[in-house]
Each structure stands twice: as C-alpha cells, then as structure tokens.
C-alpha cells in the first residue's frame, strides 16, 4: 500500500483518501473521514492539490484484486436499505445534471455521512454487501464528479479513488470502469492526457467480460479526448468511430441509472471538443450542433453551455467572428444558470480565444458582457 505525502502533515484525511487500500475497514474510514471534511469545508481539503502519482495504482489494483472481506458487527443491513440508498441516487444525479456540481454536493455529502457510510460498518450477507458497496460507489463517484465540476480537483480525486475501491467490492466491473472514466476525464482536463488515455484503456479492459455499451462508448470517447489533446488525429478518429459504434448499441432499458447521462447531448459534445482540440472545425461543428439541440430539448444548461463554447471555437477556427460572438453570448447565458466551474472556464476560454481578432467591436462587447461573470 502506497501513501502520498502532499505536505499536509496535520491532515491525515488527505493522504488516506488518496490510498486504494486492500482493507475494507480502512476504506470505510477513509471515505467517511473525507465526507466529514468535505461537509465541514475544512481548509486543508479545499486546498488539496490533484496528485498525478495517486491515479496509477488504483486502476491497476481494481483490475487485479479479488477481495472477499465482509464487515462485522451491528444490525444487519437488508436489501430494502440498499434500495433506499439507490433510490436517492437519481435525485442527486438530476441535481448535478441540471444545476451543476456546485449546487448540491454538500447536501449529498451530508446524506452519505448520515445515512450511507454508517451502513457500510454493519453486518451484511454477502449479497447485501455487494449491493450496498455498489450503491455507495455510485454516490461516492457522484460526489467526486460534483467536486470535479466545481473545480475542486483534489477533493474530486480522493472521492473517485474511494469510489473505485467500493466498486471493486460490489463485483460490478461496469461500475468500476465508469469510475475510471471519470478519473480519465479529470486527468486529461488537468493536462495529463497520456494518463487519461491509460485510465480509459484500463476501464475498457475491465469491461471485457460484461456488456455495457454506454460505459464503453464513454471510455472510447474519453480516450479520443486524450488522443486529441496530444494531437494524434488518426487515433482520435479511430476512437470516435469505436465510440459511435458502441453508442449505437445502447439499450437504455438495460443500462444502469448512473449511465443515463451518456446520451447525445453529452457524447456528441465530447466528440465536438475532441475535433475542436485538433483544429478540425468541419468535423467538430455538426457534433456540437447535435449536442446543443439535444441539451436544449432536455433543458440542460451546463451541457448546452459547454457545447455552445465548442461551437464558438469552431467558428473562430473558420474566422467567422460574428457567429463565434453569437455562440459565445449563448455560452454565457447558459453558464449563468448553473453552478459549474467547467462552464465558467468555457466562457473564459471563448473570451481568451477572441482576443486573437484584435480590437474588434465584437471582441470588446464580449469582454464587457463576461467581465462581471468571470470576476465573481
């Protein structure tokens, strides 16, 4: 077992939550302490950095480990208790999708601290243990994703590592692969695309014996994002083709609740971003428009904002400042409806890219429109 000293000597929670422990008891302690620190908004946690070294071992251990520890004493947890936890997941996922990760994470963390993590310490049958671990993994992942969307990457990384360990205990390879997808997305976003690609590939390997078209489509998509970030056009196109093939095979009725976000709004938006990063506006634009249309139909402001930003960039790559300004304004309008650092960064990116057009009135106008929003 490896620990990572990040310089927070008085904050063992930070180091412990970066560890993918083979001990079930230590895993419960780590995720419980992390949830408490998150709710209490402790300074050392909000300031904790993303640690690239900490993402290497968890994906390897998830693939290799076959642990069978069952926790001990206390009132037995029933499948009905697990069902109650799973029923809450959809509520919190909807909150994230429509309001942004910064809107409901502390509510979810408090719910987990009070109602879910204590269940992990009680006695279970093996069936209940696997089911409860899966339910806890889903919501711990969602906590990580909400922190990710709110720009708290150190917190997000810690939740995702613990979610991966809980997913292993659930014996659900698709759920573990889903967590690795989130870790891949974060690594690429933070400037580590090679690690992002490796995490996505590990997730695909974990799906070798199960059928989850939605998760497979997501993993191929995130691999494409990583490949685009390093400028590999041919490999990016291959990954997107594979993602399209997997996406076409999705049967929504057979996919788990956590996979529902992997739809046209999300997947096409990510394909658009990959082609945008490669400087291929002709390929990016139709995917961006498809994502925008679907997000508008669903009333998903965050996804709409991210895809409008991608569209704005494609217009700039085509030297069409007027169209870019229109898409940029729409990005701003949608971003103001959610609490999401990714939406804020999308607005900032559009504004920065517009400066290449010099002292044009539309550039000045967009800078004026965004000034208060970006300064908040």
């Amino acid at each position: 077992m490896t620990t990572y000293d990040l310089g927070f000597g008085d904050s063992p929670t930070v180091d412990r939550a970066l560890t993918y422990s083979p001990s079930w008891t230590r895993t419960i302690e780590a995720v419980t302490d992390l949830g408490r620190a998150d709710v209490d908004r402790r300074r050392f946690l909000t300031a904790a950095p993303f640690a690239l070294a900490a993402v290497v071992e968890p994906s390897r251990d998830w693939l290799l480990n076959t642990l069978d520890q069952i926790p001990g004493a206390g009132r037995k947890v029933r499948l009905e208790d697990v069902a109650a936890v799973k029923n809450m997941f959809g509520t919190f996922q909807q909150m994230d999708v429509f309001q942004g990760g910064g809107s409901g994470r502390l509510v979810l963390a408090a719910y987990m601290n009070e109602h879910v993590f204590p269940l992990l310490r009680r006695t279970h049958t093996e069936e209940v243990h696997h089911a409860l671990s899966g339910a806890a993994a889903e919501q711990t992942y969602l906590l990580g994703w909400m922190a990710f969307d709110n720009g708290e990457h150190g917190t997000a990384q810690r939740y995702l590592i613990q979610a991966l360990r809980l997913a292993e205990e659930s014996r659900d390879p698709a759920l573990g692969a889903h967590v690795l997808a989130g870790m891949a997305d974060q690594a690429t976003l933070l400037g580590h695309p090679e690690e992002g690609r490796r995490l996505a590939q590990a997730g695909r390997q974990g799906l070798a014996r199960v059928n989850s078209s939605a998760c497979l489509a997501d993993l191929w998509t995130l691999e494409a994002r990583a490949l685009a970030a390093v400028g590999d056009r041919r490999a990016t196109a291959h990954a997107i083709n594979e993602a399209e093939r997997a996406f076409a095979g999705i049967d929504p009725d057979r996919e788990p609740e956590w996979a529902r976000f992997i739809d046209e709004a999300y997947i096409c938006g990510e394909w658009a971003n990959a082609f945008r990063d490669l400087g291929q506006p002709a390929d990016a634009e139709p995917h961006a428009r498809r994502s925008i249309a679907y997000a508008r139909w669903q009333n998903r402001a965050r996804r709409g904002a991210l895809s409008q930003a991608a569209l704005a960039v494609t217009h700039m790559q085509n030297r069409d400042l007027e169209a870019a300004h229109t898409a940029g304004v729409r990005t701003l309008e949608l971003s103001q409806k959610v609490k999401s650092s990714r939406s804020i960064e999308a607005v900032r990116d559009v504004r920065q890219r517009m400066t290449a057009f010099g002292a044009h009135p539309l550039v000045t106008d967009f800078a004026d429109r965004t000034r208060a929003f970006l300064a908040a």
Side-chain angles (χ1 to χ4, degrees):
M1 180 179 68
T2 302
T3 58
Y4 302 91
D5 183 1
L6 302 181
F8 294 91
D10 59 343
S11 308
T13 298
V14 172
D15 287 344
R16 187 181 343 193
L18 281 173
T19 301
Y20 190 95
S21 175
S23 165
W24 177 243
T25 300
R26 289 180 180 177
T27 297
I28 296 171
E29 291 172 352
V31 74
T32 300
D33 288 347
L34 178 61
R36 289 172 181 160
D38 196 13
V39 169
D40 293 344
R41 309 304 289 153
R42 297 180 194 172
R43 183 198 60 78
F44 67 79
L45 181 58
T46 56
F50 174 84
L52 180 61
V55 305
V56 176
E57 291 185 9
S59 59
R60 181 200 65 195
D61 292 346
W62 171 75
L63 283 169
L64 297 178
N65 289 351
T66 53
L67 306 179
D68 58 359
Q69 300 176 6
I70 303 295
R75 182 182 71 80
K76 285 189 175 182
V77 181
R78 304 163 300 169
L79 285 175
E80 290 87 343
D81 298 317
V82 179
V85 173
K86 291 185 73 67
N87 288 339
M88 288 298 295
F89 174 79
T91 300
F92 285 111
Q93 186 175 53
Q94 288 284 93
M95 188 180 298
D96 168 66
V97 167
F98 290 100
Q99 299 175 29
S103 63
R105 192 181 90 248
L106 297 186
V107 178
L108 174 55
Y111 168 75
M112 296 290 285
N113 292 342
E114 295 173 14
H115 299 286
V116 180
F117 296 146
L119 294 177
L120 298 173
R121 299 180 183 276
R122 296 181 183 171
T123 303
H124 316 72
T125 65
E126 186 169 359
E127 178 186 16
V128 170
H129 177 66
H130 296 328
L132 179 59
S133 297
E138 290 176 4
Q139 300 212 41
T140 302
Y141 169 88
L142 186 57
L143 281 168
W145 177 256
M146 286 177 159
F148 172 99
D149 188 55
N150 203 41
E152 299 177 54
H153 288 291
T155 302
Q157 182 183 31
R158 287 153 178 79
Y159 274 128
L160 291 176
I161 288 173
Q162 299 310 312
L164 188 64
R165 179 61 182 85
L166 291 166
E168 179 194 324
E169 202 74 15
S170 76
R171 305 299 195 270
D172 182 352
L175 179 56
H178 170 54
V179 178
L180 284 174
M183 294 171 72
D185 199 357
Q186 182 184 41
T188 298
L189 179 71
L190 294 182
H192 309 289
E194 293 291 354
E195 189 59 35
R197 183 187 186 188
R198 192 194 67 78
L199 288 163
Q201 289 174 332
R204 286 198 289 107
Q205 292 169 12
L207 290 177
R209 297 181 182 178
V210 296
N211 181 20
S212 178
S213 296
C215 190
L216 184 60
D218 191 24
L219 287 161
W220 274 117
T221 295
L222 293 170
E223 186 166 347
R225 289 296 312 272
L227 290 162
V230 298
D232 192 330
R233 293 173 180 266
R234 179 174 296 181
T236 299
H238 170 73
I240 289 177
N241 287 337
E242 292 295 331
E244 288 180 320
R245 186 175 295 110
F247 186 72
I250 293 176
D251 179 355
D253 294 333
R254 298 183 62 182
E255 294 289 347
E257 181 83 11
W258 52 256
R260 290 194 175 184
F261 78 96
I262 304 170
D263 59 11
E264 287 187 72
Y266 165 76
I267 211 86
C268 293
E270 293 304 303
W271 296 341
N273 284 328
F275 285 123
R276 173 207 62 188
D277 291 345
L278 289 173
Q280 297 178 213
D283 294 310
E285 183 175 347
H287 291 305
R289 291 191 181 280
R290 186 177 169 193
S291 173
I292 290 165
Y294 204 83
R296 183 184 299 117
W297 175 69
Q298 293 178 313
N299 197 30
R300 284 167 62 179
R302 180 179 62 193
R303 175 48 58 181
L306 297 177
S307 295
Q308 287 282 358
L311 182 62
V313 174
T314 66
H315 289 315
M316 282 187 272
Q317 290 170 339
N318 285 325
R319 307 302 296 174
D320 187 344
L321 179 58
E322 184 175 350
H325 178 270
T326 299
V329 169
R330 188 60 179 146
T331 302
L332 173 63
E333 292 171 348
L334 291 168
S335 295
Q336 290 170 328
K337 297 181 179 181
V338 293
K339 189 174 181 182
S340 165
S341 72
R342 289 190 299 149
S343 296
I344 294 170
E345 288 307 311
V347 172
R348 182 174 285 112
D349 181 61
V350 171
R351 176 176 169 171
Q352 177 60 36
R353 290 175 187 259
M354 274 193 187
T355 61
F357 289 84
H360 191 284
L362 290 177
V363 175
T364 303
D365 177 74
F366 190 71
D368 290 342
R369 286 172 183 260
T370 59
R371 184 170 292 110
F373 177 71
L374 294 178

